[in-house]
Amino acid sequence: MAFFVNKVVIVTGASSGIGAATAVRFAQEGANVALVGRNQERLSKVAEDCAKFGRNPLVIKADVSKDDEARSIVAKTVEVFGKLDILVNNAGIFKHDNIQNPDFMEIFDSIMATNMRAVAFLTNLAAPYLIESKGNIVNVSSISGRYIGNPYKISYKTSKAALNHFTRCIALELAPHGVRVNSVSPGPVDTEIFNTPGLLINLASLKDATALGRVGESEEIADLIIFIASDKAKSITGSDYVSDNGLILK
Ligand code: NDP
């Protein structure tokens, strides 16, 4: 059964990891998907995986943190597919920092620009189309938005906490228009994000830190996003779904 036939979905950060898996799942469910990222080669590979399910996705090479490129994401999607039903704000970056870093503000600005400001602007641009389609938004947050754990990665944790509150604010504003807004908060998931230089953490140690003794896979988070974006979740808005193998229990 295909749940998203004729639905139009934007997935940011679709060139890798959670976003790539989510884009493929939406394609499998019959959606027309706009794949957004900066790496053309990786986007093309994900587009091939989506096309196997019979629908050609739209590839949009864009940096979500640049306003002109953000505008082009929504404009091109609506131009090609005629509407917008679902916005998945997934693009994100993860860096090591603490407040005593000499370059703290540089890291803070770059993380906030991608993980929070870009989400705000894309939501602002997409809102009229989502109101028209009575669609929904899924923001990809993190357990870092609700759990501190160690005194590092201040900017990343702050960006995700802000994203959680933003999600709830927009959920309340758009509810009277029939638009739902939710977030998912993964714990550690095995993706390229852990290859970011200078992180000082690795997946093996994170696996040991979880209650279930494992890290997640992108496909698990994609399935959660698919559920929240579907009509099966029609009563759900302003919620944040944790999928962390029990990390925050410890
Ligand atoms: P990946 O590094 O595998 O994917 C990140 C994606 O974001 C890539 O497709 C990348 O594309 C895209 N991206 C980053 N910056 C930009 C930008 N400025 N403009 C457009 N696209 C951008 O990581 P994940 O799949 O793990 O991360 C996806 C989301 O999940 C992030 O928001 C992350 O914070 C969140 N998350 C991940 C967890 C994990 O353990 N993996 C845990 C909790 C949350 P490109 O390089 O082509 O631009």
Side-chain angles (χ1 to χ4, degrees), residues 22-80:
T22 302
V24 172
R25 282 290 287 119
F26 272 115
Q28 189 178 11
E29 297 289 346
N32 290 312
V33 189
L35 310 174
V36 179
R38 296 164 300 179
N39 186 315
Q40 179 74 53
E41 204 177 314
R42 286 186 180 176
L43 285 171
S44 300
K45 164 79 182 61
V46 178
E48 278 172 27
D49 292 343
C50 290
K52 286 177 193 153
F53 298 103
R55 298 221 171 233
N56 280 328
L58 172 65
V59 170
I60 305 175
K61 183 176 180 300
D63 181 335
V64 293
S65 70
K66 296 188 174 151
D67 284 3
D68 284 351
E69 298 185 28
R71 280 188 196 94
S72 79
I73 293 167
V74 176
K76 279 184 191 163
T77 303
V78 173
E79 187 188 314
V80 170

Side-chain angles (χ1 to χ4, degrees), residues 12-20 36-40 42-43 62-66 69 73 89-94 113-115 118 140-144 156 159-160 163 184-194 196 203 206 218 221:
T12 69
S15 57
S16 173
I18 293 167
V36 179
R38 296 164 300 179
N39 186 315
Q40 179 74 53
R42 286 186 180 176
L43 285 171
D63 181 335
V64 293
S65 70
K66 296 188 174 151
E69 298 185 28
I73 293 167
N89 285 306
N90 163 77
I93 52 173
F94 186 37
T114 302
N115 293 12
V140 180
S141 185
S142 166
I143 53 161
S144 297
Y156 182 77
S159 74
K160 295 300 190 180
L163 180 58
V184 297
S185 282
V189 179
D190 186 0
T191 72
E192 287 296 317
I193 214 165
F194 286 99
T196 306
L203 276 168
L206 287 169
S218 294
I221 310 302

